[in-house]
Amino acid sequence: MLRHLTSRIKATGPITVAEYMREALTNPVTGYYVRNDMLGPDGDFITSPEISQIFGELLGVWIVSEWIGAGRPERLQLVELGPGKGSLASDVLRVFSQLQSVVGGASLSLHLVEVSPVLSRLQAQKLTGSHSREADAEDKPVYRRGETAAGLPVSWYRRLEDVPTGFSIFLAHEFFDALPIHKFQRTQRGWREVMVDIDPEKTEQLRFVVAPSPTLASSTLVQADERRAHVEVCAEGGVLVQQLAWRIEADGGAALIADYGHDGTKTDTFRGFKGHRLHDVLSCPGSADLTADVDFSFLRRVAGEGVACLGPVTQRTFLKNMGIDSRMQVLLRSCSDASTRQQLIDSYDLLTNAAKMGERFLFFCLLHRGRLAHPPRPDGPKLEIRKKRPAPPPVAGFTELSFS
Ligand SMILES: C[S@@+](CC[C@H](N)C(=O)[O-])C[C@H]1O[C@@H](n2cnc3c(N)ncnc32)[C@H](O)[C@@H]1O
């Protein structure tokens, strides 16, 4: 990977941080996500769905509640972006099978957007056992199909635009932070893009440089009223959120995005992880996870007026609003083994403790505007139509609800 990047830089000059990140993570041959199973204690990092099944179960309840709030449409596509090991989808599907009396009438299908062949095989094993097959040609939009034990169809895609249209609930957990960011520095001559170049002092090593003149990205992606001295913009994430917003506006549904992030306040968040430790982002590209905090204020801005946005709220608030405490009590009551009880308590603490993942991770959602009693834009004919209907139920997770 380093040789590939240095020869490219020698041929055409410094590359943007977005190009560097895209190559390092998703190059089809040597990209970090394409070659590795990086999740879990033996990998480079651990995520909430891998920490406790309760996490996926509560997201499953959220999906069911949004499906009910949308008037129980007959067909429901569950779409997950970047499904990792498939644990979140598996826990969500268990909720659906346990709530058959509620969701039994819906025709459910699962759609997974995943670039990694290694991870897609793990997902297939977890979700379908041996009941999945790869497409016979590499360029097919659906590159794998399968069926869960309960007969639910599962399809794999490399890109969101290949997922069929229709009422869908989209999930993206720790997905947007893996998308390439551009970095910009305020200078005395205006905004300049941060680039990746070869370090002239040390052969075969990379360094950051500031572009001497504006690039297309620095002229178009920085807001005119930006006050920070350094900003990161994930243009690819912006395009994806626009696609989600258009789909939700046209076909109904919702998107739940959970990630570590901020609301337009942070500056330099680009970092690497290897073996659960911080890793120099420019060292050994392709061997470590690269990530940047998600700027939710940017996602809200690009989502536009066609959908309603809620959040971000902290993971702690979301999980508590979703009833994690009641669920914990039920699990602890039925668990007599001391070490399993301790494990449950530890994972609850990791997920909700403000000093751990509880406040670092944020939840944000896009909704069809008809889903809210008072959508953020309070004028226009839609409000008149809504007045004649009963008020829709509150959106779980983003509002405090009582659970029994
Ligand atoms: C940080 S992992 C998160 C996995 C999982 N959602 C979890 O929370 O455990 C990022 C996931 O997104 C996938 N991914 C990264 N970039 C992608 C892209 N551009 N398109 C599709 N999938 C991508 C990775 O292969 C991986 O499955």
Side-chain angles (χ1 to χ4, degrees), residues 309-330:
C309 298
L310 293 186
V313 298
T314 64
Q315 172 157 303
R316 176 185 169 79
T317 302
F318 181 86
L319 294 179
K320 290 216 169 235
N321 285 348
M322 288 304 302
I324 191 169
D325 293 330
S326 313
R327 181 73 184 127
M328 267 297 282
Q329 278 162 23
V330 171

Side-chain angles (χ1 to χ4, degrees), residues 57 91-103 327:
E57 288 170 355
D91 292 337
V92 165
L93 291 187
R94 198 172 47 256
V95 171
F96 273 77
S97 74
Q98 282 167 357
L99 294 181
Q100 267 307 300
S101 58
V102 182
V103 293
R327 181 73 184 127

Side-chain angles (χ1 to χ4, degrees), residues 159-175:
R159 306 170 326 151
L160 174 62
E161 49 265 51
D162 293 327
V163 176
T165 54
F167 182 92
S168 305
I169 306 239
F170 301 91
L171 282 182
H173 183 263
E174 284 215 41
F175 171 75

Side-chain angles (χ1 to χ4, degrees), residues 181-187 189-194 210-211 213-235 264 266-267 295 297-298 301-302:
I181 49 149
H182 288 269
K183 281 173 90 65
F184 304 106
Q185 180 66 41
R186 188 194 291 278
T187 72
R189 287 165 298 133
W191 285 100
R192 292 289 185 269
E193 182 154 12
V194 177
V210 174
S213 49
T215 57
L216 178 64
S218 68
S219 318
T220 53
L221 292 177
V222 185
Q223 288 286 105
D225 58 356
E226 181 57 62
R227 290 172 164 266
R228 289 167 285 177
H230 185 97
V231 283
E232 297 170 338
V233 182
C234 181
K266 288 199 183 172
T267 55
D295 180 349
S297 71
F298 171 68
R301 193 165 64 239
V302 294

Side-chain angles (χ1 to χ4, degrees), residues 117-137:
V118 174
L119 291 178
S120 72
R121 279 194 284 276
L122 288 178
Q123 294 150 16
Q125 187 57 37
K126 174 158 263 162
L127 295 163
T128 70
S130 55
H131 297 281
S132 83
R133 281 189 54 180
E134 271 180 44
D136 41 22

Side-chain angles (χ1 to χ4, degrees), residues 25-26 33-34 38-39 45 47-50 80-85 88 113-116 119 123 157-158 172-175 177-180 236 289:
L25 293 182
T26 57
Y33 278 116
V34 174
M38 68 298 293
L39 283 147
F45 56 91
T47 59
S48 297
E50 302 298 326
E80 189 179 354
L81 307 178
K85 287 189 167 185
L88 177 56
V113 180
E114 175 59 74
V115 278
S116 166
L119 291 178
Q123 294 150 16
Y157 315 78
R158 290 183 190 84
H173 183 263
E174 284 215 41
F175 171 75
D177 71 281
L179 299 178
E236 210 168 292
D289 184 33

Side-chain angles (χ1 to χ4, degrees), residues 171-343:
L171 282 182
H173 183 263
E174 284 215 41
F175 171 75
F176 278 85
D177 71 281
L179 299 178
I181 49 149
H182 288 269
K183 281 173 90 65
F184 304 106
Q185 180 66 41
R186 188 194 291 278
T187 72
Q188 285 180 342
R189 287 165 298 133
W191 285 100
R192 292 289 185 269
E193 182 154 12
V194 177
M195 313 289 283
V196 176
D197 197 1
I198 298 166
D199 191 333
E201 313 252 297
K202 304 174 194 135
T203 45
E204 298 299 293
Q205 277 205 31
L206 301 171
R207 63 166 185 171
F208 288 117
V209 292
V210 174
S213 49
T215 57
L216 178 64
S218 68
S219 318
T220 53
L221 292 177
V222 185
Q223 288 286 105
D225 58 356
E226 181 57 62
R227 290 172 164 266
R228 289 167 285 177
H230 185 97
V231 283
E232 297 170 338
V233 182
C234 181
E236 210 168 292
V239 170
L240 275 168
V241 161
Q242 276 176 347
Q243 287 179 7
L244 293 175
W246 291 332
R247 280 173 176 254
I248 291 168
E249 189 180 1
D251 302 323
L256 187 61
I257 298 174
D259 231 307
Y260 33 66
H262 59 93
D263 216 5
T265 48
K266 288 199 183 172
T267 55
D268 182 8
T269 71
F270 186 35
R271 61 204 181 280
F273 282 102
K274 193 172 180 173
H276 298 265
R277 286 169 182 275
L278 278 171
H279 175 87
D280 177 359
V281 286
L282 295 183
S283 152
C284 300
S287 74
D289 184 33
L290 299 180
T291 166
D293 281 16
V294 174
D295 180 349
F296 288 98
S297 71
F298 171 68
L299 299 191
R300 193 184 305 110
R301 193 165 64 239
V302 294
E305 292 279 294
V307 286
C309 298
L310 293 186
V313 298
T314 64
Q315 172 157 303
R316 176 185 169 79
T317 302
F318 181 86
L319 294 179
K320 290 216 169 235
N321 285 348
M322 288 304 302
I324 191 169
D325 293 330
S326 313
R327 181 73 184 127
M328 267 297 282
Q329 278 162 23
V330 171
L331 287 175
L332 287 174
R333 262 203 303 273
S334 61
C335 171
S336 51
D337 176 59
S339 84
T340 316
R341 282 178 73 85
Q342 193 54 48
Q343 221 177 332

